[in-house]
Amino acid sequence: MSSMVVQAWLKLPASACIFTNIMSWFLSKFPELSAMSQSIVAASIAIYKRASAGLLPTPQRSHYTFNLRDLSKVLQGILMIAPGNCTTRDVMTRLWVHEAMRVFHDRLISVEDKDYFKVMAAELVKKNFPGGPGYDELFEEELAESEDVVIGAKPWASKPLDMGSSAGSIAGSDAPSYRECSLSDWID
């Protein structure tokens, strides 16, 4: 006697319908954004399909395997926002880009793959979110940060760290004890 396990995968049209219904229900809490559900789902499916087709696994990039769970993670991340924190189409568009970057882009290891993904995300924003931010607006912070990068810099090493009385002589006598410190003492 043998057993067989069958796993049924949802086809994208069926999952698109499910995800659109979920997103429509969620966005009903956002008066200005309720019409964006189809755009969000369409962009998410498109980025999933394009990442799956354009970022194939190789021996060096064996983790470049994308599945419907990744698609659902993008949408699940959007479902986590509170209505008060997302009041405009621009914020929702940037949230979608953020979630797509978190799920897909964070796995990528080469600069070429990361650039490919950013261009793809900007194209999908232009197509699915008319009037949304362009490539430069979406990734301006990243561009500004890359200009300020100092190779080998250790931002945490700019202030002494006192681990208590046994480390006081190492950190310096004027450094506060870890018991006396608050987060604002370490952040400029």
Side-chain angles (χ1 to χ4, degrees):
M1 184 177 240
S2 67
S3 299
M4 185 185 334
V5 175
V6 177
Q7 185 173 13
W9 290 99
L10 289 175
K11 300 292 182 203
L12 280 177
S15 60
C17 181
I18 292 167
F19 289 137
T20 301
N21 285 334
I22 292 169
M23 193 60 62
S24 294
W25 168 81
F26 177 72
L27 290 180
S28 66
K29 303 172 195 171
F30 301 79
E32 299 87 23
L33 308 176
S34 58
M36 291 184 73
S37 59
Q38 268 190 313
S39 298
I40 292 169
V41 173
S44 300
I45 290 173
I47 207 156
Y48 160 71
K49 285 181 172 180
R50 288 177 70 177
S52 297
L55 297 167
L56 299 173
T58 65
Q60 296 84 16
R61 303 181 300 213
S62 59
H63 59 283
Y64 281 24
T65 53
F66 305 107
N67 56 44
L68 287 175
R69 183 180 302 135
D70 299 312
L71 170 60
S72 69
K73 292 284 186 190
V74 172
L75 298 170
Q76 182 182 14
I78 292 170
L79 296 175
M80 301 297 287
I81 191 133
N85 295 333
C86 188
T87 56
T88 66
R89 292 180 59 87
D90 185 64
V91 172
M92 181 58 77
T93 303
R94 289 173 186 275
L95 175 62
W96 176 81
V97 171
H98 169 80
E99 292 301 327
M101 297 277 287
R102 181 182 62 82
V103 172
F104 295 103
H105 181 269
D106 286 356
R107 278 195 218 170
L108 306 178
I109 57 173
S110 73
V111 173
E112 293 82 17
D113 292 345
K114 291 179 179 193
D115 289 342
Y116 168 79
F117 188 86
K118 287 189 267 187
V119 168
M120 178 175 45
E123 288 173 1
L124 290 171
V125 165
K126 185 176 181 179
K127 177 182 177 186
N128 292 287
F129 305 101
Y135 182 92
D136 292 337
E137 293 173 90
L138 287 170
F139 305 110
E140 68 187 337
E141 288 179 13
E142 202 170 294
L143 295 172
E145 287 176 8
S146 67
E147 293 171 1
D148 295 335
V149 172
V150 177
I151 305 300
K154 297 177 184 165
W156 62 86
S158 62
K159 291 192 178 187
L161 179 62
D162 184 1
M163 301 303 249
S165 60
S166 62
S169 60
I170 297 170
S173 60
D174 60 336
S177 161
Y178 76 93
R179 291 175 196 88
E180 301 168 348
C181 292
S182 69
L183 185 57
S184 61
D185 294 331
W186 301 101
I187 300 175
D188 291 331

